[in-house]
Structures are given as structure tokens and as C-alpha cells.
Amino acid sequence: VTQVMTSENQTRVTEFLFSMFPHLHEGGLLFFILLLLIYGFIVTGNLMIFIITQLDAALHTPMYFFIRVLSFLEIWYTTTTIPKILSCLVSEQKTISLAGCFLQMYFFHSLGITEGCVLTAMAIDRYIAICNPLHYPNITTPKLCVHLTAGSCVCGFLLVLPEIAWIGTLPFCGSNQIQQIFCDFTPVLSLACTDTSLVVIMDAIHAVEILASFLVITLSYLRIIVVILQMPSAEGRHKAFSTCAAHLAVFLLFFGSVAVMYLRFSATYSVFWDTAIAVTFVILAPFFNPIIYSLRNKDMKDAIGRLFGYQKRAGGVKR
């Protein structure tokens, strides 16, 4: 473990050690293969959604614009953590530099907050589409969708910056073992050899952001459910419910695990539960997103059929 001696006869940490990962002979290789397959599926599935929603004109709607943005973000969101986790599972050196750790924290949380904002925009889009359908085309314009996405990115990438900049100024000495599968605020701050009470302010800001998104999405879908139940057509109710059910599933997976992890305030969990919750929003939620948005989505399945159908016809013409 790389450390540098200071004048106070203490050790200044220059890299962190992930202490949660098993060695190869302890099952590390099995976890590596499983996680590699999951990561491959996440990247391939989201890339497929991104390409199909871009190529198929029938999917050039605000809802699929946000799904395309979400898929793009999801690829990068998982890439900030999973490749490093894979490396730690097969490498004897389960370490990360201070700079690498801070960058991982920054991009992971920035992309996570951006995703939360995009999910909020999707909930508002569904609310307008179902509760105010006559004015929907005039309200949810392509320009508004771009502005909402840009605002989500600005919010995500600026909100975390002060906290990361502050953590970057802290001295780390003594233990350098992170009891988590990636660099996160609480495990890293617990290793700082100085007062970190200022983090309470940062936690409050994150809590307000999470709760605001949660509240907007919850109220939107409650109103949507009320309107759907009042629809006279059973077919209309079924179509509206199927669309919203997919969004609700993603919302509950993502926000549920995030809320349990980051709205704990003074509550503490065991290392096992901390890791299990982290696995849920780092790996499992991104794994289910492509399934929810493609395999269980009729419009997406039809678009996939049209894409491959077109390729077959094109191939037939060439022959």
C-alpha cells in the first residue's frame, strides 16, 4: 500500500484500497464473469435503445427522446464504476489513486443526479400527455425537451462540484481501506483525518434534490393514475398503464435504492447492507432498464422488427 510519511510521524494516504472484494481463489473470478456479462448486456441494451430510437421515425417523440437520453447516460453511469469493480475482482492490486477516487465520485454522482432530473422530466412529459393531451404537442416541443435535458446536465454536473472540490482539500492519513465497492462520500470521508462535519450541509442539499425529484414524480404519477382510471376505454386504460408502469418500475428501482442509501441521515447499516444497496443502484437498476424499455415495450419491439425487416428486404433487393 502506497503511503508517504509526514513530519508528524503519521502516514499520508496517496491511494485507497477496496477491502470488500474477494480474491480470485475466493470466488472473485465467478463474480468477474457474472458482472462482465451484466455490464456487456447493459452497454449493448442501452446502445440498441439509443440507436433504434434515433433511426426509427415513429419513435421521434418527446417520451422516446428522454428514453434515448436516459440510455446514453446509463452507459456512462455504469462505466464510471463497473470497469473498476471488474479490475478489482481479478487484480491483486485492489487500489485506486486519490485523484481517480475523486473523479469516480464526481462523475458517478453527477450522472446519477442528471438521470434523476431526466426521470423527473419524463414524469412531467407523461403527466402532460395523459392529463392534458390536447395541449401536449404545443407544450412539449423538441426545443423544450432539449432545454430540459441541458438543464438536467447542468444541475447534475454543477451540484456535486463544490463537495468534490472540498473533499479534494482534505488530508487523508492512517487507514486507507474503503469498505464499499466504489468510491462514495461516506466511506471516503470516514478516512479523512480532520473534521468533516461540513458534509452535513452537502447532505442536506442532496437530500433536497432527491426529495424534490421524488415528490414531483410521485405527484405526477398519482395524478396520471387518477386520470387513467377515469378513461372510458379499457384499451386506452391498458395502453396508458403499460407505458407508465415501465417508467414507474425504473423510478422505483433507481430512486428507491438511492433514497435508502443517501437519505439515511444519522442511521448506519452493516457493511453487508451498504454493499447490497450499492449493488442495487450501481448494477441491478441499470441491468433492468434495457429490459423494461425494450423487451417489455411494444413500440420498441415493433421498431426492432421494422429495422430488421427493412434490412432483410434491402438484402433481398441486392440479391
Side-chain angles (χ1 to χ4, degrees):
V1 176
T2 307
Q3 296 177 325
V4 177
M5 296 299 294
T6 65
S7 57
E8 290 87 4
N9 202 29
Q10 287 182 316
T11 54
R12 180 167 59 84
V13 173
T14 58
E15 60 182 22
F16 294 118
L17 171 71
F18 292 108
S19 60
M20 294 298 298
F21 295 105
H23 293 283
L24 279 176
H25 63 275
E26 297 171 335
L29 185 60
L30 180 63
F31 285 119
F32 172 84
I33 294 168
L34 182 62
L35 184 56
L36 184 64
L37 291 172
I38 290 172
Y39 180 56
F41 176 79
I42 290 169
V43 173
T44 306
N46 281 296
L47 199 59
M48 182 186 73
I49 291 170
F50 183 86
I51 292 168
I52 288 169
T53 53
Q54 183 69 45
L55 293 179
D56 197 296
L59 300 182
H60 287 180
T61 63
M63 183 179 83
Y64 285 102
F65 172 82
F66 288 124
I67 287 175
R68 182 159 64 250
V69 170
L70 198 64
S71 295
F72 178 77
L73 290 171
E74 200 81 301
I75 292 170
W76 294 109
Y77 174 76
T78 51
T79 300
T80 60
T81 55
I82 294 181
K84 185 61 184 176
I85 295 171
L86 287 168
S87 169
C88 288
L89 284 169
V90 292
S91 172
E92 288 300 317
Q93 290 289 100
K94 305 179 190 300
T95 57
I96 187 170
S97 67
L98 261 69
C101 186
F102 299 150
L103 281 172
Q104 187 183 66
M105 274 196 294
Y106 174 68
F107 284 107
F108 177 79
H109 285 283
S110 294
L111 289 162
I113 291 170
T114 304
E115 276 196 37
C117 292
V118 171
L119 283 169
T120 307
M122 287 174 72
I124 295 168
D125 169 71
R126 288 300 84 204
Y127 171 80
I128 298 169
I130 292 171
C131 301
N132 201 352
L134 296 177
H135 295 98
Y136 178 70
N138 296 325
I139 298 171
T140 316
T141 61
K143 188 177 180 180
L144 178 65
C145 293
V146 171
H147 286 167
L148 286 171
T149 302
S152 298
C153 292
V154 170
C155 178
F157 282 86
L158 288 184
L159 198 63
V160 187
L161 199 56
E163 187 167 5
I164 297 296
W166 170 66
I167 293 172
T169 65
L170 298 177
F172 292 90
C173 52
S175 173
N176 71 335
Q177 295 192 19
I178 295 178
Q179 293 191 321
Q180 188 50 279
I181 58 172
F182 69 103
C183 285
D184 203 4
F185 294 134
T186 303
V188 170
L189 283 170
S190 68
L191 302 178
C193 49
T194 187
D195 179 34
T196 59
S197 56
L198 187 65
V199 77
V200 173
I201 300 169
M202 306 293 186
D203 286 345
I205 293 169
H206 291 312
V208 168
E209 191 276 330
I210 293 167
L211 288 170
S213 293
F214 188 87
L215 193 63
V216 170
I217 294 172
T218 303
L219 291 174
S220 296
Y221 280 111
L222 284 174
R223 177 62 182 152
I224 286 167
I225 290 167
V226 170
V227 171
I228 290 172
L229 291 172
Q230 292 172 347
M231 287 180 177
S233 164
E235 187 182 343
R237 285 198 301 272
H238 176 73
K239 187 175 180 181
F241 261 127
S242 63
T243 301
C244 292
H247 295 178
L248 270 173
V250 172
F251 160 62
L252 290 171
L253 261 175
F254 182 78
F255 272 96
S257 52
V258 165
V260 170
M261 178 65 90
Y262 297 110
L263 297 182
R264 66 172 78 185
F265 301 106
S266 60
T268 56
Y269 307 136
S270 67
V271 172
F272 171 81
W273 284 112
D274 261 347
T275 308
I277 296 162
V279 166
T280 302
F281 64 81
V282 171
I283 300 167
L284 294 184
F287 173 74
F288 284 111
N289 281 4
I291 297 171
I292 291 165
Y293 282 132
S294 57
L295 300 179
R296 294 190 57 80
N297 185 306
K298 186 179 182 300
D299 291 338
M300 281 295 298
K301 285 191 282 190
D302 290 345
I304 293 167
R306 283 193 295 273
L307 179 66
F308 286 103
Y310 169 79
Q311 288 174 341
K312 285 176 185 175
R313 288 197 298 276
V317 170
K318 284 177 185 177
R319 283 196 298 271

